[in-house]
């Protein structure tokens, strides 16, 4: 079994139970699993592969808990630049209805490439449109070429405009076909084992695009197979009004009536949650994918992040769809989480009443341990024996950090977001010397730009 020795990192952040930060640190891994972590002098001196991280900060790989990779094709679309969620969706649905399988492939690789280069080693993606023969399998095959872990969420929409939903009827599917396909992709692809590179998630899209019956049946199907459940919830006040008018419940109460709560459930956004709802989330174990950039971009609001943390709710970070961010940069999202939380403490003191500010280390914790907990991965999120050898490293002599090395960990969050120099997933390099391994980016970007132009033109 191949061994990997990592040594001499200027600082290695473990995110273990004691939150050890080890100067001159490293780790020893066998077959993709960490066996030892500590000062380099305490580690074996031989291995099949040796990685010298002198001059680098090393961190556990970052975990992205919410995304729509296909939306990399519709970044900064003029008609959707200055819109709130519902108007933004109405502008983009007709464009997304033109997606073809090759567009899924291109956008998956572009989005995951950007994620990997920004420090992400595990990504969850929520694909909820399947026009023109597109399948989740298109995304899964494309992701394997980038080499980061994927939690592929089989999304769905079943409530079209004619039935009182938001999306046009042309982009929704029949409930029976959705459930059949969820079952098919679970049986074909889901790997429940520790160290899994690929898991499937069942993920009806949102209260305003899915029927109550499909929400309930999706939960039952996911639980029969032991896979996680994911949806958008409490993202905007428009959605809250929709839920009150249509179902007579606020979003969380509506989800609870559909069996959507528990340790196998996580919600994207969860912006508009009152203190009682935060307590119910903590009690049930439901998790949150906090998406600060998207929440600012669409003027959705400020999630009660510190209240979630204090209550013990599982919280990770999500870059969300590339059309509402408009990037897939994980280290940038860590910075946004820190900044938005601080703005929230000032602008909405009622949601962060203790007046303390989120720290750089707490923001990084959201993107590592927090994200792993949200995805139900006790094998990820920290660097310690028994965990997967997923880590990233950033050179410290970069322009962005100049003058910020009093505290390199804080520099990685406070200073301009860096691209990582090294990313390793299960002991295998996916980024080396700042470049993706195994993906030739320039021709991929060219094809992706051609596809994006075609989709928006409507050819
Ligand atoms: Zn989303």
């Amino acid at each position: 079994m191949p061994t990997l020795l990592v040594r001499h990192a200027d600082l290695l952040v473990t995110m273990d139970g004691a939150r050890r930060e080890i100067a001159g640190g490293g780790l020893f891994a066998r077959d993709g699993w960490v066996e030892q972590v500590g000062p380099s002098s305490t580690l074996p001196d031989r291995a099949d592969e040796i990685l010298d991280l002198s001059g680098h900060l090393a961190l556990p790989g970052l975990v992205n808990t919410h995304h729509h990779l296909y939306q990399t094709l519709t970044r900064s679309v003029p008609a959707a630049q200055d819109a709130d969620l519902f108007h933004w969706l109405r502008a983009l649905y007709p464009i997304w209805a033109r997606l073809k399988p090759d567009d899924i492939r291109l956008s998956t690789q572009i989005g995951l490439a950007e994620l990997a280069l920004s420090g992400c080693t595990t990504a969850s993606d929520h694909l909820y449109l399947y026009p023109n023969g597109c399948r989740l399998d298109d995304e899964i095959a494309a992701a394997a070429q980038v080499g980061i872990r994927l939690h592929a969420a089989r999304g769905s929409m079943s409530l079209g405009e004619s039935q009182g939903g938001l999306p046009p009827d042309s982009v929704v599917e029949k409930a029976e076909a959705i459930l059949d396909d969820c079952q098919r992709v679970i049986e074909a692809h889901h790997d429940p084992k520790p160290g899994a590179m690929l898991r499937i998630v069942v993920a009806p899209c949102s209260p305003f695009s899915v029927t109550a019956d499909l929400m309930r049946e999706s939960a039952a199907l996911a639980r029969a197979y032991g896979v996680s459940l994911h949806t958008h919830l409490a993202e905007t006040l428009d959605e809250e009004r929709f839920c009150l008018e249509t179902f007579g419940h606020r979003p969380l109460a509506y989800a609870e009536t559909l069996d959507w709560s528990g340790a196998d459930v996580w919600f994207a956004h969860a912006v508009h949650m009152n203190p009682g709802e935060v307590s119910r989330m903590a009690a049930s174990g439901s998790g949150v994918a906090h998406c600060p950039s998207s929440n600012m971009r669409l003027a959705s609001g400020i999630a009660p992040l510190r209240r979630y943390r204090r209550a013990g709710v599982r919280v990770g970070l999500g870059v969300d769809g590339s059309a509402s961010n408009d990037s897939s940069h994980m280290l940038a999202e860590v910075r946004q989480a820190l900044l938005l939380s601080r703005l929230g403490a000032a602008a909405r003191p009622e949601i962060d009443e203790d007046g303390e500010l989120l720290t750089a280390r707490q923001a990084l914790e959201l993107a590592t341990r927090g994200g792993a907990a949200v995805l139900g991965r006790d094998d990820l999120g920290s660097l310690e024996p028994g965990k997967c050898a997923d880590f990233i490293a950033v050179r410290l002599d970069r322009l962005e950090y100049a003058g910020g090395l009093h505290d390199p960990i804080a520099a990685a969050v406070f200073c301009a977001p860096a691209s990582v120099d090294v990313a390793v997933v299960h002991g295998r390099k996916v980024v080396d010397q700042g470049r993706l391994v195994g993906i030739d980016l320039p021709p991929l970007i060219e094809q992706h730009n051609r596809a994006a132009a075609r989709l928006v033109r409507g050819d």
Side-chain angles (χ1 to χ4, degrees), residues 66-68 71 126 128 232 235 268-269 291 294 320-321 324:
H66 184 65
H67 206 12
H68 312 287
Q71 292 179 12
H126 188 184
Y128 56 83
H232 296 92
E235 181 174 0
H269 304 296
C291 306
S294 172
D320 199 7
S324 66

Side-chain angles (χ1 to χ4, degrees), residues 35-107:
E35 286 191 351
Q36 295 179 55
V37 178
S40 299
S41 60
T42 66
L43 300 173
D45 54 8
R46 284 186 204 174
D48 297 318
E49 186 179 359
I50 296 178
L51 184 58
D52 188 318
L53 290 182
S54 304
H56 291 72
L57 169 69
L59 297 158
L62 308 183
V63 179
N64 182 34
T65 61
H66 184 65
H67 206 12
H68 312 287
L69 291 163
Y70 74 89
Q71 292 179 12
T72 56
L73 291 155
T74 53
R75 292 164 156 164
S76 332
V77 168
Q81 283 173 13
D82 307 312
D84 62 16
L85 177 68
F86 282 9
H87 292 96
W88 175 88
L89 282 168
R90 284 198 182 102
L92 292 171
Y93 283 138
I95 299 173
W96 296 338
R98 300 177 195 129
L99 284 166
K100 294 179 182 165
D102 205 43
D103 300 322
I104 300 295
R105 176 184 71 80
L106 288 167
S107 55

